[in-house]
Amino acid sequence: MSASKLVMRLRRGFTLIELLVVIAIIAVLVALLLPAVQQARESARRSECRNNLKQMGVALMTYEETFRVFPSSEIHAQPFMAGANNNWGENAGTWTTLLFPYTDQLGKYEQINFDLGWAAGTNKTPIMQKPKSLICPSNPIGSKNSGDNFDAHIIHYFAVYGSEDPPGGRARMQWAIGNTTNLQYRGLMYHSSAVRTADVTDGLSNTFAILEVRGYRPISTTAPSSVDPDAGRGMRWETGTGTYLQPINGIDGSGGSNCPSCRWEVASSFHVGGIMALLGEGTVRFINENMDSMSFRRMGSISDGVQTAPFEE
C-alpha cells in the first residue's frame, strides 16, 4: 500500500478543530433559532388569550340579550361596611359565575346557591372550578390556588368597574347603593350594577368591559411572577379592576389612593408591550402599555363624555 493511500485511510475521521467548528456552527444556529421559536410560542399563547376574551365577549353579549343588562361585577345585598363589618364574599354572584351558563358551565351554575357566600355550603366546589378561558397561557402563574385559608383559584381577567377611585374605597364599589357622586365615571360592570346598552353613552366600542390582570399580588416589585402567600384576595371573590390603577403592566397599582399596592388587579399581562382588552361591543384589542394615560383611564367609564380613544396595535 502506498504512503499516500495510507494517509487517506488514516484521515477518515474529524480533526479536533473541525469538530469544534461544527459545534460552534450548531451553537450559533441554536442561538439564532431559539428566539424565533420563543416568539412563535408567545404568538400562539397571545392568540389563545385573545380567543379567551372573544369567548367572554360572546357570553357577555348573550347575557345582555337575555336580561337586557350587563352582569354585575359583584352582587351584594347592602353597601360595603368598613372594618370588621365588611361583607366581602357574602354572595356567590360575580360576573364570572353569572356568565357560567354562556361559557359551557351550566352544570356548575346550577350547583351554586346565589343566596349564600361564594365559599359557603357547597358553593366553593363549582366556583373554584373556573373555566380555562379565564386563564391566560402567557401568565406563568396559571392553575394555582391562593394557598391561604380560602384557597381560591386564580384568574387573569377582571371586569372593569370604573375609571376613578370609587367613593369609600376601590373594593367597595358603591356606585349604585348610597353613593351618587361621580356616577359618570362608573364602568360597565360594578357593585350591584344593572347597566343597559342605552346607559353607555360613550359607546360600547369606546368602553372597556374586561381587562387582563396579573391576578395575584407578587411578593415584591422585582419578582412579578412570584405570589405573596398573604395576599390571595385577588384570587377569591374580587374580580374587578379600574382604569385608574396605573400604569399598564405596573406592579404597585399606584393610581389608586386607597390601594397603593393592589398588584393583583392592575391592568397587566406577560405579553410583551401591553395587554389584551375586551371592549363593550365584543371586540378584542391589544392595548399598548404606553397608551396615553388619560385616554386609557377614560375608557373605563361608560358615560364621562369621552367617545374616542387612540388604539395602538
Side-chain angles (χ1 to χ4, degrees):
M1 181 182 295
S2 64
S4 61
K5 290 183 178 180
L6 179 61
V7 170
M8 289 179 65
R9 291 183 62 183
L10 292 174
R11 294 191 61 187
R12 284 180 180 175
F14 289 108
T15 66
L16 179 60
I17 294 176
E18 290 172 334
L19 184 60
L20 291 175
V21 169
V22 170
I23 293 174
I25 292 172
I26 293 173
V28 170
L29 290 174
V30 170
L32 291 173
L33 288 174
L34 189 58
V37 171
Q38 291 175 334
Q39 186 175 6
R41 287 177 176 174
E42 170 54 22
S43 178
R45 290 191 291 264
R46 193 159 123 169
S47 295
E48 186 176 343
C49 178
R50 182 185 291 270
N51 186 59
N52 286 345
L53 282 167
K54 284 183 178 179
Q55 291 182 47
M56 279 180 261
V58 172
L60 203 61
M61 295 299 103
T62 305
Y63 184 98
E64 192 279 332
E65 289 176 1
T66 302
F67 297 101
R68 313 313 299 173
V69 295
F70 290 95
S72 171
S73 174
E74 302 174 16
I75 296 176
H76 293 280
Q78 56 188 331
F80 180 92
M81 296 179 289
N85 295 318
N86 73 69
N87 55 357
W88 279 346
E90 69 169 1
N91 198 287
T94 66
W95 71 272
T96 57
T97 55
L98 293 173
L99 290 184
F100 270 3
Y102 314 105
T103 54
D104 296 326
Q105 307 292 317
L106 180 59
K108 295 175 185 176
Y109 180 85
E110 292 175 339
Q111 297 175 41
I112 299 172
N113 183 344
F114 286 93
D115 293 326
L116 300 178
W118 75 273
T122 59
N123 277 351
K124 188 174 180 180
T125 298
I127 290 176
M128 279 281 291
Q129 299 171 350
K130 295 288 173 45
K132 291 183 179 179
S133 58
L134 291 172
I135 302 296
C136 172
S138 292
N139 195 312
I141 308 298
S143 297
K144 182 178 178 63
N145 295 344
S146 60
D148 57 14
N149 292 331
F150 294 94
D151 199 29
H153 202 286
I154 188 173
I155 64 173
H156 299 149
Y157 307 100
F158 279 12
V160 179
Y161 56 72
S163 63
E164 296 290 335
D165 209 355
R170 48 150 264 304
R172 294 160 172 80
M173 294 180 278
Q174 299 179 67
W175 296 110
I177 307 177
N179 275 296
T180 57
T181 58
N182 296 329
L183 279 178
Q184 69 269 31
Y185 298 127
R186 59 186 172 170
L188 198 65
M189 292 178 276
Y190 52 90
H191 182 301
S192 300
S193 64
V195 174
R196 303 166 301 165
T197 298
D199 296 326
V200 189
T201 57
D202 291 345
L204 290 172
S205 61
N206 299 308
T207 303
F208 289 135
I210 298 172
L211 294 176
E212 270 195 278
V213 296
R214 193 168 282 103
Y216 58 89
R217 191 167 84 180
I219 292 175
S220 70
T221 58
T222 58
S225 62
S226 63
V227 178
D228 185 343
D230 297 323
R233 186 165 60 218
M235 304 177 191
R236 303 205 291 269
W237 58 80
E238 192 175 345
T239 56
T241 183
T243 53
Y244 63 90
L245 290 165
Q246 295 186 32
I248 299 173
N249 283 340
I251 297 294
D252 278 334
S254 56
S257 61
N258 285 280
C259 192
S261 61
C262 293
R263 303 167 190 162
W264 54 76
E265 61 183 308
V266 179
S268 57
S269 77
F270 286 84
H271 306 304
V272 177
I275 60 169
M276 290 292 180
L278 175 71
L279 299 178
E281 95 288 27
T283 301
V284 179
R285 302 297 295 265
F286 184 76
I287 307 301
N288 192 296
E289 64 185 19
N290 297 315
M291 180 182 183
D292 174 70
S293 176
M294 188 54 67
S295 296
F296 175 75
R297 187 165 184 156
R298 290 294 171 248
M299 287 200 66
S301 167
I302 63 174
S303 58
D304 63 8
V306 180
Q307 298 180 339
T308 59
F311 286 108
E312 298 181 34
E313 289 286 352

